[in-house]
Amino acid sequence: MRNLINNLFRGLISFTYLVMGVLLITACVDESSVEVEKPNTAVLAVLEPELETFEDESLNISVNFVEPSSTEGTIQVSFSGDAVYGDDFTTDPAGDVNGISIPVASGLSALSLSVIPVNRLGSVEESKTLALSFSALDGVSFGPRNNSSITILNRPEISTSGTISDFGNVTELESSASQSFSVGGLGLTGDMELSASENYMISLDDSDFEGSLTIPAADINGGDTLVYVRFTPEFDAIGAVAGTVDIESENAEDVTLALSATGTEQPPTIFIDPSTLDFGSAPNGGVSASQSASATGYRLTEDIAVSVTGPFEISLDDNTYSASIVLPAEVINALEEVSFFTRFAPNSGVDGDKVGTITLSSAGAADQQIALSGEEGLSIVAFTSFEEPAGVDVDYTDLGDSTVSRVLENNDGQAPVQYESIGGELGFKTIYVPTGGLGSTDGDDLGVTTKTSIVGDSPEGGYTDGVQGYYADDTDGIIKVVFDPVDVSSLTTLRLAVDYLFNDTSWEDTDNIMISVETGDGLEQTLLNLTGVDIEAGALDPEPHVWQKMDVDISNLVGGTIRLTLQVETNSAAEEVYFDNIRFLGI
């Protein structure tokens, strides 16, 4: 019996475990077979969070779903900002001031919304802002971004008024009378750019014509500007010539004006440049520096004969000069520019203004002339421009005793302070006279130099003759530049010309600058004495650096020899004085 009860109990326990195992297995099977409903994540970002559009352009906004919607729903779009629905914008789908409700069908993966600005071109309005906020109704859910901001910008505008009629017949290489039109701007954010097509030119002043021009936005917004147009047919622009003026500005719609004209053939023609040449002063028996002119020809059948009248000469190579030359037609035709040279060669012996004419002639073409002028002066008896000896931009250091008066010696590699003439420019020597200072033993600007840091600021852009001059500064004693004697025994008229220039600095009354001459029999004449004179005032004011040109009559000193002396005494490195283009002129 006991065994039977034990067996029954064991069976009951086993059955219990079996039932529990079955239940557990069943529970696991049921749990894994349950379908869990997934949420519908519906909307991603709406393009970019900040967008812009112009008042005449619609803006499409795409709303993209993570995956197709599994249920129907609704997206609500709300408006905010200073843009008012109906006044400043509308939408598609349509809405109202409160926004838009957009249904979402099951299976939909994307939808779009258009913002349509109200077009106000031609008016001045401020830009408008519109904020769109997206919210979900009826089971549609959103991703991380659900809003967007839109700025509705004014479209910049270009306006024109007036008409340009046909320019008619115009001979090639010449210009028509101008016509004009007005151009304006509204809300332009960039400058207005105008360009004319080939054979046409434009201008804002009816004087200076170019192929293109720019009007700043600040000058054209809200107003009108007159633009002039003319027809200038180029070489071989013959027959009907259509053209345009194109007007552009950033973000504005381009405007194009149509132009028309007819180019007619140019007859055989000679063109010259310039029409006048002035050679300034040149001495009797001497020649001026040459100047160049150019000629061009069109449809010439013969060479151009060039002749000159008056005390002038012409040349093809700036070397061999004569009264006439020939410019070959095969070279000069078709507007191939040919240069030639002219110089003033006075020889009358009578001072005064002289004139002449260059005439260019070719068969079938109208003659062209260049007016020439110059002033005949005295002959150059002796001169120096300090082109001899060779100068350097290196300070001079006196290797002698600063307490002893003496002639300074040249040092290798430094600015020369003495020169023995070889038959061209005057020779000279530099004498140092002590006054208790160091002289140039500490190294100073002194002697023949190529330095241009000061003279380069002058209107001449350098030295008045050549590329060298004589300079001195901080002499700490007296410097005298004494030149070779000049024989003036046979002259009846004599003048001395000297160019000099001061640095712009603080000059004192104790600074001493003198120019004097002395005859062979000891007669001395001071021509310039600036001791105690305010160099920074009146005509001597060196700001800007200006070459002073002394030209004095010393005819009372003729009859023997004459010697020039330049004297400088300063005590500052900034107190620089330059000399150049020294000439004894006489007859």
Side-chain angles (χ1 to χ4, degrees):
M1 176 64 73
R2 180 178 296 175
N3 290 335
L4 178 61
I5 292 173
N6 288 337
N7 288 334
L8 288 174
F9 183 75
R10 291 191 185 95
L12 180 59
I13 292 175
S14 298
F15 178 78
T16 299
Y17 281 123
L18 177 61
V19 171
M20 291 178 64
V22 171
L23 289 175
L24 181 60
I25 293 172
T26 302
C28 290
V29 171
D30 290 343
E31 181 71 19
S32 64
S33 64
V34 173
E35 182 176 349
V36 179
E37 184 177 351
K38 298 179 181 178
N40 181 9
T41 305
V43 181
L44 282 179
V46 183
L47 291 179
E48 298 294 333
E50 294 183 3
L51 303 171
E52 290 184 346
T53 188
F54 285 102
E55 58 186 326
D56 57 343
E57 291 182 353
S58 297
L59 179 65
N60 293 322
I61 301 172
S62 296
V63 179
N64 301 307
F65 294 10
V66 172
E67 57 185 53
S69 175
S70 60
T71 62
E72 295 182 353
T74 303
I75 293 177
Q76 182 70 31
V77 184
S78 300
F79 305 140
S80 60
D82 59 6
V84 178
Y85 192 95
D87 290 341
D88 300 308
F89 74 98
T90 60
T91 59
D92 184 15
D96 55 30
V97 294
N98 298 315
I100 313 171
S101 294
I102 305 176
V104 178
S106 177
L108 190 67
S109 60
L111 56 84
S112 64
L113 165 67
S114 295
V115 174
I116 308 167
V118 174
N119 191 333
R120 287 195 176 91
L121 291 178
S123 63
V124 179
E125 294 282 344
E126 295 295 329
S127 298
K128 301 288 185 176
T129 58
L130 170 63
L132 305 179
S133 297
F134 294 79
S135 58
L137 303 175
D138 303 331
V140 179
S141 58
F142 275 82
R145 280 210 307 266
N146 63 347
N147 57 73
S148 183
S149 176
I150 302 170
T151 302
I152 302 173
L153 303 170
N154 296 321
R155 169 71 73 181
E157 293 180 68
I158 298 170
S159 62
T160 60
S161 60
T163 58
I164 302 294
S165 59
D166 189 278
F167 285 92
N169 296 333
V170 179
T171 302
E172 56 184 330
L173 308 178
E174 297 181 1
S175 294
S176 69
S178 64
Q179 300 184 49
S180 63
F181 67 94
S182 291
V183 63
L186 187 65
L188 298 183
T189 57
D191 295 342
M192 182 180 289
E193 306 289 344
L194 297 90
S195 59
S197 57
E198 188 177 16
N199 298 301
Y200 292 89
M201 304 185 78
I202 51 180
S203 170
L204 293 179
D205 59 8
D206 202 19
S207 177
D208 298 323
F209 281 82
E210 303 177 75
S212 62
L213 55 85
T214 299
I215 305 176
D219 295 344
I220 197 72
N221 271 330
D224 290 330
T225 296
L226 206 58
V227 179
Y228 299 89
V229 187
R230 74 182 185 189
F231 176 49
T232 305
E234 298 179 2
F235 177 67
D236 270 346
I238 301 172
V241 180
T244 59
V245 175
D246 297 310
I247 310 171
E248 303 176 355
S249 185
E250 182 183 26
N251 294 319
E253 184 176 350
D254 296 347
V255 174
T256 298
L257 300 181
L259 307 174
S260 63
T262 301
T264 59
E265 187 175 283
Q266 177 82 241
T269 306
I270 300 170
F271 301 92
I272 57 171
D273 183 44
S275 59
T276 62
L277 289 171
D278 180 52
F279 293 86
S281 178
N284 173 262
V287 293
S288 70
S290 64
Q291 297 187 47
S292 66
S294 64
T296 54
Y298 186 59
R299 293 198 175 95
L300 299 179
T301 59
E302 294 185 6
D303 297 342
I304 296 178
V306 187
S307 60
V308 64
T309 63
F312 299 90
E313 302 171 331
I314 51 179
S315 171
L316 280 173
D317 58 8
D318 200 19
N319 184 29
T320 302
Y321 278 83
S322 63
S324 64
I325 55 175
V326 174
L327 306 179
E330 64 268 19
V331 175
I332 206 168
N333 255 340
L335 304 180
E336 184 71 26
E337 184 176 274
V338 174
S339 294
F340 58 96
F341 304 88
T342 310
R343 69 186 183 186
F344 181 35
N347 55 13
S348 70
V350 178
D351 288 357
D353 295 334
K354 310 297 178 182
V355 295
T357 303
I358 296 176
T359 301
L360 296 89
S361 304
S362 184
D367 289 354
Q368 297 295 320
Q369 293 185 327
I370 301 174
L372 308 175
S373 60
E375 182 183 2
E376 182 174 351
L378 303 175
S379 299
I380 295 178
V381 178
F383 78 99
T384 181
S385 292
F386 299 104
E387 298 304 294
E388 300 172 2
V392 293
D393 184 7
V394 178
D395 288 355
Y396 174 81
T397 301
D398 180 7
L399 303 179
D401 188 341
S402 64
T403 65
V404 177
S405 178
R406 66 197 184 283
V407 175
L408 298 181
E409 300 293 334
N410 288 338
N411 296 330
D412 290 342
Q414 298 180 4
V417 292
Q418 61 172 271
Y419 170 62
E420 183 176 347
S421 176
I422 57 175
E425 299 193 16
L426 283 169
F428 63 88
K429 58 185 176 181
T430 302
I431 298 173
Y432 166 72
V433 179
T435 59
L438 292 174
S440 294
T441 59
D442 55 344
D444 295 305
D445 287 346
L446 185 66
V448 178
T449 182
T450 58
K451 181 178 179 180
T452 58
S453 59
I454 302 300
V455 300
D457 294 336
S458 68
E460 291 82 358
Y463 295 93
T464 55
D465 187 29
V467 296
Q468 298 187 164
Y470 191 103
Y471 71 163
D473 76 2
D474 197 19
T475 59
D476 290 332
I478 297 173
I479 289 294
K480 293 184 178 182
V481 185
V482 181
F483 293 85
D484 293 344
V486 177
D487 183 0
V488 295
S489 59
S490 63
L491 303 179
T492 59
T493 301
L494 180 63
R495 301 184 68 85
L496 173 65
V498 179
D499 297 345
Y500 55 94
L501 179 147
F502 306 107
N503 188 18
D504 179 27
T505 187
S506 297
W507 295 83
E508 298 89 25
D509 292 345
T510 55
D511 295 321
N512 179 347
I513 298 172
M514 297 178 63
I515 299 177
S516 61
V517 290
E518 183 180 4
T519 65
D521 55 9
L523 180 60
E524 186 174 357
Q525 186 170 324
T526 299
L527 307 178
L528 178 72
N529 187 350
L530 299 182
T531 303
V533 174
D534 187 358
I535 290 176
E536 297 176 89
L540 295 176
D541 186 0
E543 177 58 40
H545 295 122
V546 175
W547 282 99
Q548 310 290 333
K549 298 180 181 293
M550 185 190 80
D551 188 341
V552 294
D553 190 332
I554 51 174
S555 299
N556 61 308
L557 300 178
V558 300
T561 62
I562 193 167
R563 181 193 296 269
L564 169 67
T565 298
L566 309 176
Q567 181 170 312
V568 179
E569 182 179 5
T570 67
N571 58 10
S572 169
E575 293 169 349
E576 296 179 65
V577 59
Y578 292 77
F579 298 96
D580 195 20
N581 199 20
I582 297 172
R583 290 151 293 151
F584 285 96
L585 306 167
I587 53 175

